[in-house]
């Protein structure tokens, strides 16, 4: 395994980092402007073939670009939303969609004309992902969907939602199907933005379907393919949705080292105190381990190999490491770090969500154990 980046990949990483710092360096009040800036720079289409409006980069290159995005952009919610669309919406359409579906949706998702959401979670189906209550009743030329999806990232503003519903409840998980629902579809309602403790740049809300008519040509895959599509998308999502958070950890470490060298107590810089230097060392170790697992998953995907185990390990490691390093970054800064509006305080609130979404840390441990 060789995870070293090529000169082209290093250049793309550098240019993305500069773009993120210059354009997304603050917490933008206008998420739409930030989203469009990401689209115009090519971030939303980084993993999509050029035939469908994307940049056509391989998985390792896309991951390097998204890592740089997280390093340069302090809005962890925005970077999560970007990654969520790429890996949980666009990748399933690319893998399972008809050419007509790809031509209709992928270019619009790449250039910012559309925002995508992944509609799986329901009140009774969090970790038990396939215990869905949403139903899709077959009609002559399509389906009528009824149900409610909750905690949906970018749900309140999505133009397209990949919605999972049961077409045959008697078949359990094998009776699930996937549908491409457009915001203009009658009976489809996007709820308001819901407040949460962190990740403010990722707008969360509910999706409600009341006798929502979806034509047959917008079913993704065949009837009963929903579970397979979901598992496919989750492997990609678990592998790479934290790519930008690895970049956030790199930014955290850089800022913490600079702060520790500049902060003087008892006549010396605090990086000379072992309790502080130990935290910096632990932050560096977590960053390197996280980066290695992230790029191993990307390397495997680039080779067309399965990586269910590596995806679960990457998701578990990075999410837990981001929390631990956020705590260390805050403690290094003392009272200043605890104040609202500080990067360290915001990063900690943002990091805590990662141990829940895309499968909790406990679920990842179960997956890892089952694959041993």
């Amino acid at each position: 395994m060789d995870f070293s980046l090529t000169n082209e990949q290093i250049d793309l990483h550098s240019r993305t980092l500069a773009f993120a710092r210059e354009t997304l360096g603050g917490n933008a009040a206008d998420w739409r402007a930030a989203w469009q800036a990401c689209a115009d720079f090519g971030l939303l289409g980084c993993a999509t073939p050029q035939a469908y409006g994307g940049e056509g980069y391989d998985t390792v290159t896309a991951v390097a670009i998204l890592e740089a995005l997280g390093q340069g952009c302090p809005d962890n919610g925005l970077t999560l939303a970007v990654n969520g669309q790429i890996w949980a919406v666009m990748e399933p359409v690319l893998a399972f969609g008809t050419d007509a579906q790809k031509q209709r949706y992928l270019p619009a998702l790449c250039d910012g004309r559309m925002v995508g959401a992944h509609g799986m979670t329901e009140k009774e189906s969090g970790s038990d992902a396939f215990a869905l209550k949403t139903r899709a009743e077959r009609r002559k030329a399509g389906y009528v969907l009824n149900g409610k999806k909750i905690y949906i990232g970018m749900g309140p503003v999505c133009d397209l939602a990949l919605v999972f519903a049961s077409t045959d409840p008697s078949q359990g998980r094998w009776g699930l199907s996937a549908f491409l629902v457009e915001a203009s579809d009658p009976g489809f309602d996007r709820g308001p933005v819901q407040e949460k403790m962190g990740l403010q740049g990722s707008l969360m809300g509910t999706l409600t379907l009341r006798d929502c008519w979806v034509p047959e040509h917008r079913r993704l895959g065949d009837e009963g393919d929903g579970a397979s599509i979901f598992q496919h998308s989750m492997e990609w999502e678990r592998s790479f949705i934290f790519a930008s958070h690895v970049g956030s950890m790199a930014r955290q470490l850089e800022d913490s080292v600079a702060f520790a060298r500049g902060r003087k107590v008892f006549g010396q810089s605090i990086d000379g105190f072992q309790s502080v230097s130990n935290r910096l060392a632990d932050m560096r170790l977590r960053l390197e381990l996280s980066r290695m697992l992230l790029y191993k998953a990307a390397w495997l995907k680039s080779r067309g190999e399965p990586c269910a185990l590596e995806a679960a390990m990457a998701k578990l490691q990075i999410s837990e490491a981001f929390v631990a390093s956020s705590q260390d970054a805050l403690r290094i800064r003392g009272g200043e770090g605890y104040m609202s509006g500080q990067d360290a305080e915001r990063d900690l609130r943002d990091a805590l969500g990662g141990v829940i979404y895309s499968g909790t840390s406990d679920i990842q441990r179960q997956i890892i154990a089952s694959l041993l």
Side-chain angles (χ1 to χ4, degrees), residues 205-248:
T206 62
L207 302 177
T208 304
L209 303 108
R210 299 185 183 92
D211 293 330
C212 179
W213 167 256
V214 180
E216 185 174 3
H217 66 80
R218 282 205 260 121
R219 185 189 65 222
L220 187 64
D222 294 329
E223 269 196 25
D225 282 354
S228 297
I229 293 171
F230 176 72
Q231 294 284 35
H232 172 92
S233 67
M234 284 305 295
E235 185 170 307
W236 282 86
E237 182 177 324
R238 286 172 181 149
S239 296
F240 308 124
I241 198 169
F242 282 87
S244 293
H245 285 354
V246 171
S248 299

Side-chain angles (χ1 to χ4, degrees), residues 135-136 143-147 163 165 179 181 209-214:
R135 299 288 182 258
Y143 299 82
V144 174
L145 276 62
N146 283 281
V163 173
F179 301 90
V181 183
L209 303 108
R210 299 185 183 92
D211 293 330
C212 179
W213 167 256
V214 180

Side-chain angles (χ1 to χ4, degrees), residues 253-282:
L253 179 58
E254 290 175 356
D255 293 347
S256 295
V257 169
F259 179 89
R261 287 176 177 170
R263 170 70 167 158
K264 295 187 182 298
V265 176
F266 302 116
Q268 69 175 90
S269 299
I270 63 172
D271 66 339
F273 295 105
Q274 191 173 33
S275 58
V276 174
S277 62
N278 283 347
R279 290 187 185 118
L280 294 173
D282 287 342

Side-chain angles (χ1 to χ4, degrees), residues 309-332:
L309 176 61
E310 289 77 12
M313 291 193 298
K315 198 277 179 185
L316 177 62
Q317 164 63 25
I318 300 171
S319 63
E320 296 282 347
F322 192 21
V323 173
S325 289
S326 296
Q327 289 178 313
D328 280 343
L330 189 150
R331 294 169 72 185
I332 288 170

Side-chain angles (χ1 to χ4, degrees), residues 2 87 154:
D2 183 2
W87 306 117
M154 304 308 280

